[in-house]
Amino acid sequence: MESRSRTEYSLLNIIAGVGGYIINTILGFICRMVFVKCLAADYLGVNGLFTNILSMLSLAELGIGGAIVYALYKPLAENNEKKTASLVKVYGTAYKVIGITIGVVGTLLMPFLDVIITEQPNISESIYILYLLNLFNTVITYFYSYRSSLLIAAQQNYIVVGINYIVTILQSIFQMIVLVVTHNYMAYILIQTIGTVIYNLTVSRVAVMRFPCIADKNVEPLPKNEKQSLFKDIRDLTFYKVSGLLVNSTDNILITFFQGLATTGIASNYTLLVNTLNSLLGQVFNSLTASIGNHNATKSEDSKFEMFNFMNLMNFWIFGWAALGIVFCSSDLVRLCFGEEYVLPLKIPLVMALNFYTVGMMNAIWTYKHTLGLFRYGRFLQIITGILNIIFSVVLGKSLGLFGILFATFIARACTNLWYDPYAVYVHGFSKSPMLYLVKYIQYLVVLGITAGGCYIVLTPIHMPIFAQVIVKILLCSLICNIVFYIIFRKTPEFQKLKEIVKNVLSIVFRRK
């Protein structure tokens, strides 16, 4: 198999991830607009609700994926096919059991749908059949995803995302045609199911072609001591999984309970925009994770810390820019795409931007926490995050509605992992004072505040036809953010590192040409 450098793998992963995601996102927005025009608002609520419920069910994954990917970094770097095959076998067996478990538990939860959905939704299909189709889409993935994780650990995520986006783009086109012609939500979901099956079968086949060792029927079992170490990592990651689900997958359930499916559907348009941005930017960090893991396994402590500081600046740059875009541009974009009736008060995109920024700023921390194998630090604190989120959401949801539920998520994170995870990485990963991170974080907040002030002064007076207004505001917001960030950071070591990496990437691109 052809060998590439970390920079080449990172470049391929970023190009495939970001490029494919942009195309897929454009089609996704068009598909969403068709969805809104062809179906009632309650269908949006059903979509969001089922997504959250099935995300909760994926708790059964118990962190196995993260532990196995981390365990694969070393054998893949050493071309140890026997160890690679052994780990993948453990992973595959575990995931098939998990898939069956989710299917059974998910089916048993069906009678409780009436408890969550307090008012009969305005849909013609059976809520239970729609739920079963969504459940099948979740379950089938567990029978194949362990092989896609092997490609990701091998720094070949560009293959996985490439296949995903090809299938998803074709799927979106067929879904739009079906919605326009039939206005049938059931057909929409069936097409999604077919796409899920095709994607998983294709990725599984490619993984076997690139790593034939995993198809060997006589794979050696892992030694007992290595199994014990692996299960410890899985145990520690379980707490992160539980916390993440309690924090990220309960909002739509609580919004539905307190405000109804229609509010969930209206809010989901903003959530779609925020999640789209988050996923797009996440493509960059996901594309770098395997290369960072390889870098950490081979480089000095100083080199690791230098790379982290660079990633942290890039983290602020892209998530700070995007957060201000959410505040100043999202409502105009919703008005353009979905209509005036779907626009929410400014406080909603503001609190969404707050959650988006604070989580986004943790990307570099979490990347290093996982690639350095620091799973055990803060594992119990993560459970507290999830519990606090539910408590605060219930309390604030009753008094403040949608805003209270969203703001509760920020409060829960601020009380726990927003401060502890940086502490764990600096102390246990870099052997440095966490105050270094705090000082840098405050500096970034000041810069973001200055930039937000500039955006407010320039963008607030703008009133044009809605299409032109969206374009102008996005361009001006981007221009202001990047000019301010460049002026302030251009002489920092982190920015110099960026220039060095850009030169390296350009040399690779032109050399290959």
Side-chain angles (χ1 to χ4, degrees):
M1 187 171 62
E2 183 183 6
S3 177
R4 301 177 186 271
S5 69
R6 277 191 298 269
T7 302
E8 289 175 304
Y9 275 126
S10 297
L11 183 60
L12 282 170
N13 288 332
I14 291 172
I15 290 173
V18 174
Y21 191 81
I22 290 173
I23 297 172
N24 187 50
T25 298
I26 293 172
L27 268 179
F29 272 117
I30 297 173
C31 190
R32 180 79 165 198
M33 292 166 66
V34 172
F35 192 108
V36 169
K37 298 295 183 184
C38 295
L39 298 172
D42 280 4
Y43 282 103
L44 287 175
V46 168
N47 252 347
L49 177 63
F50 286 169
T51 298
N52 274 193
I53 292 174
L54 296 174
S55 294
M56 293 291 289
L57 284 178
S58 69
L59 169 64
E61 195 265 349
L62 295 178
I64 292 175
I68 294 288
V69 169
Y70 170 70
L72 281 168
Y73 286 145
K74 187 174 181 181
L76 284 170
E78 296 174 348
N79 293 318
N80 189 335
E81 293 186 352
K82 290 184 178 180
K83 178 63 67 62
T84 299
S86 297
L87 286 166
V88 171
K89 183 179 180 180
V90 172
Y91 193 12
T93 302
Y95 258 37
K96 288 171 184 175
V97 172
I98 289 167
I100 294 171
T101 303
I102 290 177
V104 172
V105 175
T107 304
L108 294 175
L109 286 177
M110 287 178 64
F112 297 95
L113 290 177
D114 286 338
V115 177
I116 299 172
I117 304 173
T118 54
E119 297 179 6
Q120 182 64 31
N122 180 28
I123 63 175
S124 58
E125 297 86 356
S126 166
I127 197 78
Y128 299 104
I129 293 176
L130 296 179
Y131 174 77
L132 284 174
L133 283 172
N134 279 276
L135 178 62
F136 175 80
N137 282 341
T138 299
V139 169
I140 193 66
T141 300
Y142 284 91
F143 286 82
Y144 299 96
S145 63
Y146 66 97
R147 288 180 172 173
S148 67
S149 294
L150 172 60
L151 294 172
I152 292 169
Q155 304 182 71
Q156 297 175 31
N157 192 43
Y158 61 92
I159 296 174
V160 177
V161 298
I163 296 171
N164 178 45
Y165 289 137
I166 290 172
V167 172
T168 305
I169 287 168
L170 292 174
Q171 173 185 301
S172 297
I173 292 172
F174 283 116
Q175 284 179 317
M176 285 187 287
I177 293 172
V178 165
L179 283 177
V180 170
V181 174
T182 69
H183 291 234
N184 190 307
Y185 181 71
M186 185 73 74
Y188 175 91
I189 291 297
L190 285 172
I191 292 172
Q192 182 176 316
T193 301
I194 294 170
T196 300
V197 172
I198 292 173
Y199 162 74
N200 282 291
L201 290 174
T202 305
V203 171
S204 179
R205 178 59 181 164
V206 170
V208 172
M209 290 171 60
R210 292 199 161 241
F211 298 92
C213 61
I214 65 175
D216 191 343
K217 295 183 179 179
N218 299 314
V219 176
E220 296 180 3
L222 281 177
K224 185 177 180 180
N225 65 320
E226 293 186 16
K227 278 187 178 180
Q228 290 175 341
S229 176
L230 182 61
F231 289 141
K232 285 181 180 179
D233 286 341
I234 291 172
R235 177 202 65 193
D236 297 334
L237 281 169
T238 297
F239 293 100
Y240 289 98
K241 189 72 176 180
V242 172
S243 169
L245 290 168
L246 291 176
V247 174
N248 300 318
S249 300
T250 55
D251 281 358
N252 276 348
I253 296 173
L254 292 166
I255 293 169
T256 300
F257 184 78
F258 287 115
Q259 303 286 310
L261 271 174
T263 300
T264 304
I266 293 172
S268 69
N269 290 320
Y270 282 86
T271 304
L272 173 67
L273 294 175
V274 174
N275 288 345
T276 297
L277 267 177
N278 193 47
S279 298
L280 174 61
L281 301 181
Q283 294 298 323
V284 176
F285 286 90
N286 291 338
S287 300
L288 295 173
T289 298
S291 296
I292 293 297
N294 182 278
H295 180 272
N296 289 339
T298 58
K299 297 296 182 179
S300 68
E301 296 300 316
D302 289 341
S303 180
K304 293 177 189 177
F305 190 61
E306 179 186 3
M307 183 59 72
F308 169 81
N309 284 328
F310 158 72
M311 285 191 66
N312 200 33
L313 173 62
M314 292 301 97
N315 209 41
F316 165 76
W317 198 300
I318 59 179
F319 279 94
W321 172 12
L324 294 182
I326 293 170
V327 173
F328 294 105
C329 306
S330 61
S331 288
D332 289 320
L333 195 54
V334 167
R335 185 178 290 108
L336 172 65
C337 295
F338 307 114
E340 184 69 37
E341 65 273 21
Y342 287 95
V343 176
L344 293 170
L346 177 61
K347 64 182 181 181
I348 301 302
L350 192 61
V351 73
M352 285 185 173
L354 176 66
N355 283 325
F356 172 85
Y357 174 78
T358 51
V359 172
M361 278 299 293
M362 297 295 288
N363 264 321
I365 287 290
W366 287 334
T367 297
Y368 273 77
K369 189 171 186 180
H370 282 76
T371 56
L372 290 171
L374 304 174
F375 306 122
R376 65 186 182 277
Y377 296 107
R379 59 186 185 274
F380 299 114
L381 195 64
Q382 302 300 313
I383 297 294
I384 297 173
T385 307
I387 295 172
L388 287 176
N389 179 62
I390 292 177
I391 294 172
F392 291 143
S393 292
V394 170
V395 173
L396 296 179
K398 289 181 179 179
S399 58
L400 300 176
L402 175 59
F403 175 83
I405 293 172
L406 296 174
F407 189 60
T409 303
F410 166 75
I411 296 174
R413 289 188 178 120
C415 290
T416 53
N417 60 352
L418 289 186
W419 65 268
Y420 182 80
D421 283 346
Y423 169 85
V425 170
Y426 267 68
V427 172
H428 303 291
F430 299 135
S431 298
K432 295 183 182 294
S433 170
M435 291 301 295
L436 295 173
Y437 180 82
L438 178 61
V439 170
K440 187 71 70 175
Y441 196 93
I442 293 173
Q443 289 175 348
Y444 288 155
L445 278 179
V446 172
V447 172
L448 190 65
I450 294 170
T451 312
C455 288
Y456 179 82
I457 293 170
V458 174
L459 300 180
T460 302
I462 296 177
H463 297 288
M464 301 177 174
I466 187 60
F467 181 78
Q469 184 164 308
V470 168
I471 299 299
V472 170
K473 280 192 174 183
I474 290 175
L475 289 175
L476 286 176
C477 182
S478 300
L479 189 64
I480 293 168
C481 290
N482 284 282
I483 288 176
V484 174
F485 294 169
Y486 173 75
I487 291 173
I488 293 175
F489 297 116
R490 70 187 188 282
K491 294 183 179 180
T492 62
E494 294 88 347
F495 191 82
Q496 299 308 310
K497 181 70 174 178
L498 171 63
K499 291 170 63 176
E500 176 187 330
I501 290 175
V502 170
K503 288 179 181 178
N504 191 15
V505 167
L506 291 176
S507 67
I508 290 172
V509 171
F510 288 112
R511 184 174 72 243
R512 286 194 169 271
K513 286 184 178 181

